[in-house]
Amino acid sequence: MDHRSEQLSPTILLVGASRGLGLAMAGAFVKKNWHVTGTVREDGRTELHNLADTCHGKVIIQQLDITEPDQIADLRTKLSGCAYNMLFVNAGTANRDQAETIAETSTEEFVRVMLTNALGVMRVVEHLQHLVRPGGLIGVMSSGQGSIASNEKGGHEGYRGSKAALNQYMRSYAARHVGDGRPLILMAPGWIRTELGGPEAPFSIEETIPELVETLIAQQSTPGLRFIDRHGGTVPW
Ligand SMILES: NC(=O)c1ccc[n+]([C@@H]2O[C@H](COP(=O)([O-])OP(=O)(O)OC[C@H]3O[C@@H](n4cnc5c(N)ncnc54)[C@H](OP(=O)(O)O)[C@@H]3O)[C@@H](O)[C@H]2O)c1
């Protein structure tokens, strides 16, 4: 099942929607009358399935682990012919030990975080971008911690590096697609209480994600690459 058929509502392909910010984004887009194709990594039931059950066909679920190129290829085949208004890759991970410096990080952990947050995200963008209709928006979840200019304290070094790498790869993507006319968004959502953000984060999902979704919707008419926060403000590179 997909949202291939002609419809009045706009459509988003939202990658990484099982829980946390991605799940909340799915709910907020549905509230705005969008149709959501959301991906989950595992086979089993997730909170996105609970949302889908209450949304009368507005949420469709696909399976994708962004670190598995074969799964990206399978999804590309499954969704061929779809034309989304927006592709947003939210999926991401953090280092298990946020306190370790980069040189203390094991090779395995470095590769896991970089593969998920930078390479996996960019593979999804590169391989699924043609499913976004001309002029449609492509966005990825970055982080304020990906800002090199704002890094005055260090900390969260593996994670910071992976989001800075993601920003750099999106700049390369944008440079290769000058003239496409698409809005390309790197979103820094703020520090929000989720499993990844932790309980100390100052903001709740409820007070942040509806505004983040409003901001993405408002960005649709402006082509070009931007690194922005959830209010639409520019984040320094
Ligand atoms: N929370 C914050 O304060 C904050 C701040 C800045 C940026 N961010 C970014 O926002 C995004 C969402 O974070 P969150 O706080 O909602 O984290 P979260 O609660 O840990 O959720 C992470 C999401 O990413 C998915 N995911 C992880 N690895 C994946 C993979 N290999 N393939 C597909 N999906 C995968 C997870 O799926 P599963 O359920 O299968 O694990 C889950 O849906 C991340 O990119 C994160 O870096 C968060």
Side-chain angles (χ1 to χ4, degrees):
M1 192 178 165
D2 58 46
H3 288 137
R4 196 175 317 243
S5 52
E6 272 307 304
Q7 44 195 316
L8 300 174
S9 300
T11 54
I12 178 170
L13 175 55
L14 179 56
V15 173
S18 58
R19 59 193 169 90
L21 306 187
L23 174 70
M25 286 179 69
F29 272 104
V30 167
K31 277 205 178 128
K32 293 267 172 200
N33 205 31
W34 282 54
H35 281 73
V36 176
T37 298
T39 74
V40 301
R41 178 163 43 163
E42 310 289 348
D43 270 345
R45 222 182 138 77
T46 69
E47 285 185 65
L48 187 65
H49 293 80
N50 298 339
L51 178 69
D53 286 350
T54 63
C55 286
H56 314 290
K58 284 190 172 171
V59 175
I60 287 170
I61 300 177
Q62 296 286 353
Q63 202 253 322
L64 178 64
D65 181 333
I66 65 168
T67 66
E68 297 290 343
D70 290 352
Q71 292 189 18
I72 298 173
D74 285 351
L75 187 62
R76 179 186 162 106
T77 305
K78 260 190 211 156
L79 297 180
S80 79
C82 293
Y84 294 94
N85 295 84
M86 202 180 284
L87 164 65
F88 191 88
V89 188
N90 166 72
T93 191
N95 288 65
R96 293 188 179 104
D97 178 358
Q98 292 276 337
E100 65 191 2
T101 63
I102 191 61
E104 290 166 346
T105 305
S106 71
T107 305
E108 183 192 29
E109 181 68 343
F110 178 82
V111 169
R112 185 185 70 82
V113 173
M114 276 289 184
L115 174 58
T116 306
N117 288 357
L119 183 56
V121 173
M122 290 312 302
R123 280 179 173 153
V124 172
V125 168
E126 294 277 5
H127 292 288
L128 303 187
Q129 48 90 17
H130 67 289
L131 299 175
V132 182
R133 60 184 60 176
L137 183 149
I138 298 176
V140 300
M141 198 66 103
S142 183
S143 168
Q145 299 211 3
S147 167
I148 291 173
S150 308
N151 183 3
E152 292 179 345
K153 290 192 195 148
H156 307 110
E157 293 186 9
Y159 179 75
R160 266 185 203 281
S162 70
K163 294 293 187 178
L166 175 62
N167 290 0
Q168 180 72 288
Y169 297 139
M170 277 299 282
R171 281 192 75 133
S172 295
Y173 178 91
R176 281 187 279 111
H177 292 84
V178 172
D180 264 14
R182 286 191 193 292
L184 298 172
I185 301 298
L186 285 153
M187 173 58 71
W191 188 16
I192 303 164
R193 290 188 293 279
T194 62
E195 199 170 319
L196 186 152
E200 305 300 319
F203 300 110
S204 69
I205 281 178
E206 294 72 21
E207 65 191 321
T208 52
I209 294 306
E211 186 182 5
L212 183 153
V213 164
E214 293 262 15
T215 296
L216 282 178
I217 290 172
Q219 295 293 321
Q220 286 183 109
S221 48
T222 314
L225 177 69
R226 291 179 290 291
F227 184 19
I228 58 171
D229 62 27
R230 67 175 181 276
H231 316 294
T234 299
V235 181
W237 293 102

